[in-house]
Amino acid sequence: MKKTSASILIIDDQEDILFASKMLLKKHFENIFTLNNPKNVVELLAKNIIDVVLLDMNYRIGFEDGREGLYLLKEIKTLSPKTVVILMTAFGKVETAVEGLKSGAFDYILKPWENEKLLSVVKQAVDKSRKEQKKPNNIESIDDFFVGNSDVIKKAYSLADKVAKTDANVLILGENGTGKFVLSDHIHRQSERKNSPFIHVDLGSLNSNIFESELFGYAKGAFTDAKIDTPGRFEMAQNGTVFLDEIGNVPLHLQSKLLQVIQTKTVTRLGESKARPLNVRIITATNLDLKQEVADKNFREDLYYRINTMEIVLPPLRERNEDKIPLAHYLLQKMMTKYGRDEIIFDEKALVQIEKHAWNGNIREMENRIERAVILCDNNHITVSDLDLEQITTYEENQDNIQLSAVEKTAIEKILFKNNNNISKTAEELGLSRASLYRRLEKYNISTN
């Protein structure tokens, strides 16, 4: 039987699972890699083109909610977007696997699996990978991603381009969904470190119990599940960039440990006393007002100044009105490429609503709504209904009307009081007829007695 030319990576902390799956798959596919420690996936993906990853959802005793698997899924999709990921999970953990599908996994397999089922899913994943490889490069590559023409966003990217050539620590501030990850990746790609790793750490989703082991690594035997010496995220980023997202969420008692690493440019693994030298560029980001967090004693002042050599503020989309329509067209092209669609356009009413909408979720909200619209739209025209903006806009208009009514009522009451409730003088000063004023008095239930 001729083997399929494909590279499959299996990640699981149970050796019997690795052995059994490798024995099965190597009969059908040319290259089979196995990892019993997920920490090594960064190095492996940097050195090899992997078509499909079989990824276990849990790696530590006592942490069986699948969060580690979801975290690794995001890492893999960031490091190698065209690699197709199949999740492996035990029966009864299907809800977490479904969450993984929403985060970009291709499918999931229940353990223990049926061999025919596993082979079928892996073959489908290989076919999917082949199609992905034929697609053009990711639309958000270094040469092709959306910035915008508004002065506020051009200022932010101008600062980023200047600081990229240095090794200065950068703090990126901005609301959720404003593009902090994209900007940090841009800085890395523009820097002298661009050929070394870019490691993204989502501190907001990192359990405080595994904070040190994830970031600093650990020695064999440091704790129950520490089976081999393992580098942390800082060491994985050696000679490259580590992006610490949501740094404002780090608890105070752990901030001192982070500060020590940044100050000394060394890291000490759990269970070791030897400090290892670090050569990494540090970029951090948060949606919090760190100055206020410092004032409120929730964030260390010395850490704030260490990470804040250069501060870049990403504006919310509501402050970039001229960028809304161009961004929508860019995201539409991106989703058309993702789903293999073409000739989709926005109808005029949809464009009006896109420009009018507040976009409190910023770029992420727009991207999610446009992706939904591309899936739902008929006749290759995206409508207001496809974007699901009607209800939101109607609510906002109602809020505007309520505010205007409150202003009008207050103005009438003030001028009535000034004129001692004289209807004629009040109507004249307001530029209304007496009849119009009476209608407003009735509307706002204003008494003239």
Side-chain angles (χ1 to χ4, degrees):
M1 181 178 65
K2 185 178 179 181
K3 295 183 181 181
T4 300
S5 177
S7 295
I8 315 295
L9 169 62
I10 311 159
I11 309 175
D12 200 298
D13 59 345
Q14 298 181 45
E15 293 294 343
D16 56 338
I17 295 289
L18 293 178
F19 179 79
S21 55
K22 183 176 182 178
M23 289 300 100
L24 173 65
L25 295 175
K26 76 175 187 177
K27 298 175 184 177
H28 302 271
F29 304 98
E30 285 190 355
N31 301 307
I32 307 296
F33 300 86
T34 62
L35 284 179
N36 64 0
N37 187 340
K39 309 292 185 192
N40 298 329
V41 70
V42 174
E43 183 179 357
L44 192 145
L45 288 175
K47 295 179 179 178
N48 302 277
I49 296 174
I50 302 296
D51 298 292
V52 176
V53 173
L54 283 165
L55 176 65
D56 186 35
M57 298 290 287
N58 298 293
Y59 295 90
R60 288 170 181 256
I61 296 172
F63 296 93
E64 299 178 354
D65 58 1
R67 308 317 300 180
E68 287 182 284
L70 293 174
Y71 184 87
L72 281 165
L73 169 63
K74 292 177 183 177
E75 290 282 292
I76 293 168
K77 297 304 288 184
T78 298
L79 293 165
S80 182
K82 294 183 180 181
T83 295
V84 178
V85 180
I86 300 168
L87 302 175
M88 297 188 293
T89 187
F91 182 77
K93 304 291 184 182
V94 175
E95 285 186 7
T96 308
V98 171
E99 186 177 345
L101 297 182
K102 293 178 182 178
S103 298
F106 172 70
D107 205 342
Y108 67 89
I109 288 286
L110 293 177
K111 293 193 289 186
W113 63 74
E114 296 177 4
N115 286 349
E116 289 185 6
K117 171 67 174 175
L118 178 63
L119 278 174
S120 174
V121 173
V122 172
K123 286 177 181 178
Q124 291 175 43
V126 169
D127 290 341
K128 166 83 170 170
S129 176
R130 292 287 180 265
K131 292 176 183 177
E132 289 292 324
Q133 299 298 333
K134 291 178 182 178
K135 287 183 180 181
N137 288 335
N138 191 313
I139 199 164
E140 290 183 352
S141 71
I142 186 170
D143 298 317
D144 184 15
F145 67 99
F146 185 85
V147 176
N149 292 310
S150 59
D151 289 340
V152 284
I153 196 65
K154 286 195 290 188
K155 179 182 177 182
Y157 270 85
S158 175
L159 279 174
D161 289 339
K162 289 176 181 176
V163 77
K165 306 304 180 185
T166 75
D167 264 345
N169 293 338
V170 181
L171 171 62
I172 303 174
L173 301 175
E175 296 177 5
N176 287 334
T178 49
K180 297 188 288 293
F181 173 85
V182 173
L183 182 62
S184 64
D185 184 56
H186 174 72
I187 292 171
H188 172 73
R189 290 173 181 269
Q190 296 293 327
S191 75
E192 297 298 321
R193 298 175 179 269
K194 61 187 176 185
N195 295 321
S196 296
F198 173 78
I199 303 298
H200 173 214
V201 186
D202 183 359
L203 298 175
S205 64
L206 199 59
N207 190 305
S208 61
N209 293 329
I210 59 172
F211 180 91
E212 292 181 72
S213 59
E214 283 287 327
L215 289 184
F216 312 143
Y218 51 86
K220 180 180 179 180
F223 48 85
T224 304
D225 280 349
K227 299 174 183 176
I228 58 174
D229 291 340
T230 302
R233 300 287 166 166
F234 276 103
E235 285 185 77
M236 289 180 187
Q238 190 71 283
N239 300 317
T241 303
V242 61
F243 174 47
L244 304 176
D245 202 0
E246 302 300 346
I247 193 166
N249 292 345
V250 177
L252 265 175
H253 71 282
L254 294 174
Q255 290 175 23
S256 59
K257 298 179 183 295
L258 196 55
L259 177 64
Q260 177 72 13
V261 171
I262 297 172
Q263 280 181 329
T264 63
K265 295 184 180 179
T266 63
V267 65
T268 303
R269 295 181 183 179
L270 286 177
E272 289 186 349
S273 57
K274 172 189 167 186
R276 298 169 184 264
L278 281 179
N279 176 18
V280 297
R281 204 271 182 76
I282 296 171
I283 302 177
T284 55
T286 182
N287 61 353
L288 299 178
D289 182 346
L290 280 193
K291 287 183 181 178
Q292 188 59 50
E293 292 297 303
V294 169
D296 293 341
K297 307 297 184 185
N298 294 324
F299 199 85
R300 290 180 63 116
E301 186 174 18
D302 46 3
L303 177 58
Y304 171 70
Y305 287 114
R306 279 287 177 182
I307 63 177
N308 192 20
T309 305
M310 175 63 74
E311 181 178 292
I312 301 176
V313 179
L314 282 177
L317 199 48
R318 61 183 173 273
E319 294 178 9
R320 302 172 53 190
N321 205 53
E322 61 265 54
D323 290 336
K324 288 180 181 178
I325 299 301
L327 175 61
H329 284 301
Y330 165 81
L331 293 173
L332 176 59
Q333 289 296 321
K334 178 181 176 180
M335 293 306 160
M336 286 163 55
T337 300
K338 179 177 180 178
Y339 290 102
R341 301 280 301 272
D342 53 22
E343 302 301 326
I344 299 178
I345 61 172
F346 296 107
D347 70 17
E348 288 186 16
K349 289 183 179 179
L351 288 173
V352 169
Q353 296 292 63
I354 286 169
E355 190 168 34
K356 197 175 183 181
H357 186 56
W359 300 108
N360 293 324
N362 296 297
I363 298 170
R364 188 178 299 139
E365 180 191 354
M366 183 182 284
E367 183 173 29
N368 288 342
R369 288 185 181 276
I370 289 176
E371 181 171 13
R372 174 184 182 276
V374 167
I375 294 169
L376 294 178
C377 74
D378 296 317
N379 303 319
N380 288 344
H381 276 68
I382 291 178
T383 66
V384 173
S385 177
D386 293 328
L387 291 167
D388 195 25
L389 289 179
E390 279 180 313
Q391 183 178 354
I392 291 175
T393 304
T394 301
Y395 171 77
E396 289 173 349
E397 287 176 342
N398 285 342
Q399 291 300 101
D400 288 342
N401 289 336
I402 289 169
Q403 291 173 7
L404 287 171
S405 295
V407 170
E408 186 176 48
K409 179 183 179 184
T410 301
I412 292 171
E413 287 176 331
K414 284 183 177 179
I415 296 172
L416 264 175
F417 180 77
K418 173 187 171 185
N419 292 319
N420 296 317
N421 288 340
N422 186 304
I423 298 296
S424 297
K425 287 183 179 180
T426 300
E428 182 180 356
E429 194 166 337
L430 288 168
L432 300 171
S433 67
R434 286 170 58 89
S436 295
L437 178 55
Y438 275 122
R439 282 196 294 272
R440 282 166 173 76
L441 294 175
E442 184 177 357
K443 175 183 177 182
Y444 298 129
N445 195 29
I446 298 174
S447 173
T448 58
N449 295 330

